[in-house]
């Protein structure tokens, strides 16, 4: 009897109301967010504020490293939340969400007759190159095979191969030639294999056929029409100064939402068809069975058979859940939890930016969409506002953006309060940080703090025993040796000079340029001897990213000039 009652209760708890998807033609938007977004209450768009409030409170309570959540329905923002210290105007690294944007650019290039169609063979685009390992399979690779990551090329450049193919490619002088010369692993179109190299080839095809760099092409034919300024987009370059294609783009969550709204409205923006309806439908439908999430289109993920990891999170939050909404949306997905969800059935877009370094946490945003965001849609029309519910949502948004303390090993070892790092344990000191810095994971046993700057540079402080045999002026040699020991190449000291910190403390600043995994880096090391300890402040950034270069000197000055020992 108890078992029967238990099962009955489970069935009651798991019953969730699922609104019927839209069956009518696409609703004509009341406005377009080209210049500015308009915000309304969720209820004004037929949504339940309390569900969204519960989601934001869960993020804060569980301390999930989700930086922002933006929910749009009927072209209106209903929730726009940012977790401290992230702000709406901050550009976020979107990683492989870049691939979905690149796919749209190919659609535009086909619409504009720069490219004939997706059946064009890969080698047709590069007739001017002498290519190795050419066989019937390689001749058969098409643009569509690249878009669906089924080229058959042995790129081996994903997490499944520990990025070994990526590292090999980045060590080459000519990345394009390296990829074109690769041997085949299987027949094209036979099976999905996640391949960053495929997306890079797509980017180079776009450049070759349009005679424009992908970023400039995107700005002319896409971003400018959405009201996205060129200064608000950055995109990493290869050695030939061509955008890499597989990742490297930075943009704000609201601009990500604009891209989602474009696809939600089947490629139409205001009175212009920026991307053809045919491309929107073709690129986002299933073309091949995949992994991670189990259906893949043209650089988009979709379908009801998506990976089950997100369900494990839902069981933690609601152990009796039943509904699976995966068949009602498709999504652009990026490393560490970057997502654009597009749900035409609910006229809804949801954007997440995150720093989910734990692999299991990567699936949390999708679980939140299924558990909270889509279930918050209760009607396809306005419902009465609930003052208390709306107030609670506003409070949850404010709580997320409120300042908080960052602690790594212990408060005595070091804590960040109000953007100032303080160490109480000897040797004690205080350090004012660059604005909008975020907590990062420690990578070494002697590190006591680690942060990332607004634009993605990493800086940290480590403390170890002082070596009596190494004068402070020579400590830079130890830094250089460390970079070599961890796998760095082309490690060169640019400068090594004495500086004076506040309180007249003598320090040495060593500037080193080096390469790690094909990425060119610049690292500054500020060394101090204090109370038989070596205190090391390090600051490293990718010198191929202009935004990091421009902010590096200012951030370093902030750290050095506000370091009180």
């Amino acid at each position: 009897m108890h078992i029967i009652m238990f099962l009955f209760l489970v069935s009651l708890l798991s019953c969730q109301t699922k609104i019927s998807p839209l069956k009518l033609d696409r609703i004509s938007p009341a406005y377009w967010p080209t210049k500015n977004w308009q915000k309304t209450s969720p209820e004004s768009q037929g949504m339940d504020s309390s569900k969204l409030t519960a989601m934001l409170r869960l993020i804060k309570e569980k301390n999930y490293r989700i930086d922002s959540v933006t929910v749009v329905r009927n072209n209106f923002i209903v929730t726009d939340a940012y977790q401290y210290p992230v702000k709406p105007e901050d550009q976020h690294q979107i990683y492989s969400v870049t691939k979905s944007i690149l796919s749209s650019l190919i659609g535009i290039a086909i619409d504009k007759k720069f490219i004939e169609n997706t059946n064009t063979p890969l080698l047709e685009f590069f007739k001017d190159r002498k290519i190795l390992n050419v066989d019937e399979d390689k001749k058969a690779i098409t643009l569509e095979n690249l878009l669906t990551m089924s080229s058959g090329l042995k790129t081996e450049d994903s997490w499944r191969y520990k990025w070994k193919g990526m590292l090999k490619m980045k060590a080459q002088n000519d990345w394009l030639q390296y990829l074109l010369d690769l041997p085949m692993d299987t027949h094209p179109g036979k099976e999905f294999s996640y391949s960053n190299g495929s997306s890079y080839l797509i980017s180079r095809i776009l450049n070759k056929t349009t005679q424009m760099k992908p970023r400039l092409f995107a700005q002319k034919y896409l971003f400018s029409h959405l009201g996205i300024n060129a200064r608000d987009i950055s995109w990493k370059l290869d050695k030939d100064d061509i955008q890499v294609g597989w990742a490297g783009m930075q943009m704000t969550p609201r601009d990500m939402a604009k891209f989602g709204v474009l696809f939600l409205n089947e490629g139409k923006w205001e009175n212009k068809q920026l991307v053809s309806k045919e491309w929107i439908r073709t690129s986002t439908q299933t073309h091949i069975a995949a992994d991670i999430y189990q259906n893949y289109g043209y650089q988009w993920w979709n379908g009801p058979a998506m990976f089950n990891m997100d369900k494990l999170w839902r069981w933690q939050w609601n152990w009796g859940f039943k509904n699976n909404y995966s068949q009602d949306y498709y999504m652009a997905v990026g490393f560490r939890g970057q997502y654009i969800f597009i749900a035409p059935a609910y006229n809804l877009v949801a954007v997440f930016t995150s720093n989910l370094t734990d692999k299991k946490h990567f699936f949390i945003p999708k679980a939140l969409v299924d558990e909270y965001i889509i279930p918050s849609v209760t009607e396809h029309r306005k419902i009465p506002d609930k003052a208390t519910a709306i107030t609670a949502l506003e409070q949850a948004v404010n709580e997320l953006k409120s300042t908080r303390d960052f602690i790594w090993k212990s408060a005595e070892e070091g804590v960040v309060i109000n953007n100032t790092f303080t160490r109480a344990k000897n040797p004690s000191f205080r350090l004012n940080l660059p604005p909008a810095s975020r907590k990062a994971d420690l990578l070494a046993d002697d590190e006591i703090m680690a942060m990332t700057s607004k634009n993605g540079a990493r800086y940290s402080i480590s403390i170890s025993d002082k070596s009596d045999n190494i004068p402070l002026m020579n400590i830079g040699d130890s830094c250089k040796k460390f970079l070599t020991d961890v796998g760095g190449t082309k490690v060169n000291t640019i400068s090594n000079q004495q500086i004076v910190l506040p309180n007249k403390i003598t320090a040495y600043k060593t500037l080193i340029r080096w390469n790690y995994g094909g990425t060119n880096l610049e690292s500054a090391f500020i060394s101090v001897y204090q109370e038989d300890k070596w205190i090391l402040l390090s600051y490293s950034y990718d010198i191929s990213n202009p935004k990091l270069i421009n902010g590096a000197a200012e951030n370093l000055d902030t750290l050095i000039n506000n370091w009180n020992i």
Side-chain angles (χ1 to χ4, degrees), residues 444-545:
D445 291 340
D446 57 3
E447 282 189 330
I448 61 168
M449 69 87 80
M451 303 286 284
T452 54
S453 71
K454 179 178 178 180
N455 292 323
R458 184 183 188 274
Y459 60 94
S460 67
I461 294 178
S462 59
I463 296 181
S464 56
D465 292 332
K466 173 185 174 183
S467 174
D468 293 331
N469 298 325
I470 304 178
L472 186 60
M473 65 180 295
N474 294 335
I475 202 69
D477 294 335
S478 298
C479 299
K480 184 176 180 180
K481 181 179 184 301
F482 168 76
L483 297 180
T484 302
D485 290 344
V486 298
T489 60
K490 301 178 182 178
V491 183
N492 295 306
T493 301
I494 305 303
S495 63
N496 185 55
Q497 59 185 17
Q498 180 178 310
I499 61 174
V500 179
L501 303 178
N503 297 338
K504 299 182 179 180
I505 300 294
T506 299
Y508 263 82
K509 176 183 176 183
T510 307
L511 194 64
I512 298 176
R513 286 191 176 176
W514 58 301
N515 184 283
Y516 184 76
T519 300
N520 292 318
L521 302 168
E522 185 165 285
S523 297
F525 298 96
I526 316 302
S527 299
V528 178
Y529 282 161
Q530 195 76 6
E531 298 184 18
D532 295 323
K533 296 291 183 181
W534 172 24
I535 308 174
L536 178 67
L537 167 63
S538 63
Y539 183 96
S540 299
Y541 59 96
D542 180 353
I543 57 177
S544 68
N545 186 331

Side-chain angles (χ1 to χ4, degrees), residues 246-299:
W246 71 79
M249 187 177 288
Q250 294 186 37
M251 61 196 310
T252 69
R254 290 177 182 173
D255 286 344
M256 293 168 69
K258 285 185 176 183
F259 179 71
V261 166
L262 173 69
F263 268 66
L264 183 67
N265 289 282
E266 297 183 307
K268 185 178 181 180
W269 193 271
E270 294 185 338
N271 61 347
K272 297 179 181 178
Q273 192 72 38
L274 300 183
V275 187
S276 69
K277 287 184 180 181
E278 180 183 359
W279 183 264
I280 298 290
R281 292 167 180 169
T282 301
S283 64
T284 59
Q285 70 184 26
T286 297
H287 287 271
I288 194 166
D291 49 23
I292 321 175
Y293 294 115
Q294 293 167 351
N295 292 306
Y296 203 67
Y298 288 175
Q299 312 274 287

Side-chain angles (χ1 to χ4, degrees), residues 319-509:
W319 55 272
F321 85 91
K322 277 188 175 180
N323 289 330
N324 176 13
Y325 296 95
S326 297
Q327 69 272 17
D328 294 334
Y329 57 80
Y330 54 92
M331 57 191 185
V333 181
F335 183 57
R336 293 188 173 180
Q338 325 312 317
Y339 288 85
I340 303 175
F341 297 91
I342 301 164
Y346 304 95
N347 214 34
L348 182 144
V349 170
V351 171
F352 286 78
T353 62
S354 314
N355 189 30
L356 298 169
T357 54
D358 188 318
K359 293 179 181 178
K360 298 189 298 295
H361 289 194
F362 173 80
F363 301 95
I364 288 175
K366 181 181 179 297
L368 292 172
V369 168
D370 284 346
E371 186 63 34
Y372 293 98
I373 294 179
I374 289 182
S376 74
V377 179
T378 60
E379 297 285 350
H380 290 312
R381 57 181 175 79
K382 181 178 180 178
I383 59 177
D385 282 340
K386 302 174 183 177
T388 55
I390 294 172
T391 299
L393 178 59
E394 292 173 349
Q395 183 179 1
V397 170
N398 289 331
E399 288 172 355
L400 266 184
K401 70 181 181 182
S402 62
T403 59
R404 65 191 63 187
D405 302 347
F406 297 146
I407 296 175
W408 289 263
K409 295 181 175 179
S410 70
E412 187 183 26
E413 284 276 10
V415 58
V416 172
I417 302 175
N418 294 326
N419 215 47
T420 298
F421 177 79
T422 303
R423 175 180 165 87
K425 187 176 180 179
N426 286 333
S428 61
F429 53 86
R430 188 176 70 256
L431 181 67
N432 291 344
L433 308 180
S437 293
R438 295 184 293 173
K439 184 180 180 182
D441 296 328
L442 301 180
L443 299 180
D445 291 340
D446 57 3
E447 282 189 330
I448 61 168
M449 69 87 80
M451 303 286 284
T452 54
S453 71
K454 179 178 178 180
N455 292 323
R458 184 183 188 274
Y459 60 94
S460 67
I461 294 178
S462 59
I463 296 181
S464 56
D465 292 332
K466 173 185 174 183
S467 174
D468 293 331
N469 298 325
I470 304 178
L472 186 60
M473 65 180 295
N474 294 335
I475 202 69
D477 294 335
S478 298
C479 299
K480 184 176 180 180
K481 181 179 184 301
F482 168 76
L483 297 180
T484 302
D485 290 344
V486 298
T489 60
K490 301 178 182 178
V491 183
N492 295 306
T493 301
I494 305 303
S495 63
N496 185 55
Q497 59 185 17
Q498 180 178 310
I499 61 174
V500 179
L501 303 178
N503 297 338
K504 299 182 179 180
I505 300 294
T506 299
Y508 263 82
K509 176 183 176 183

Side-chain angles (χ1 to χ4, degrees), residues 160-223:
R160 294 193 181 283
Y161 301 95
K162 298 183 179 179
W163 317 102
K164 69 177 183 180
M166 178 75 75
L167 298 178
K168 286 181 180 179
M169 182 189 74
K170 287 186 173 181
Q172 310 300 313
N173 290 326
D174 189 335
W175 296 1
L176 175 59
Q177 191 67 47
Y178 167 81
L179 288 169
L180 293 173
D181 287 344
L182 285 174
M184 298 296 291
D185 193 36
T186 187
H187 303 301
K190 181 180 179 181
E191 62 184 42
F192 174 91
S193 179
Y194 197 88
S195 169
N196 289 298
S198 292
S199 301
Y200 177 72
L201 288 171
I202 294 169
S203 181
R204 293 301 298 252
I205 288 170
L206 184 66
N207 170 246
K208 185 75 178 290
T209 56
T210 65
Q211 293 297 299
M212 296 178 68
K213 292 186 178 182
R215 177 179 173 177
L216 296 178
F217 184 86
Q219 191 60 40
K220 179 176 180 178
Y221 292 106
L222 178 63
F223 294 144

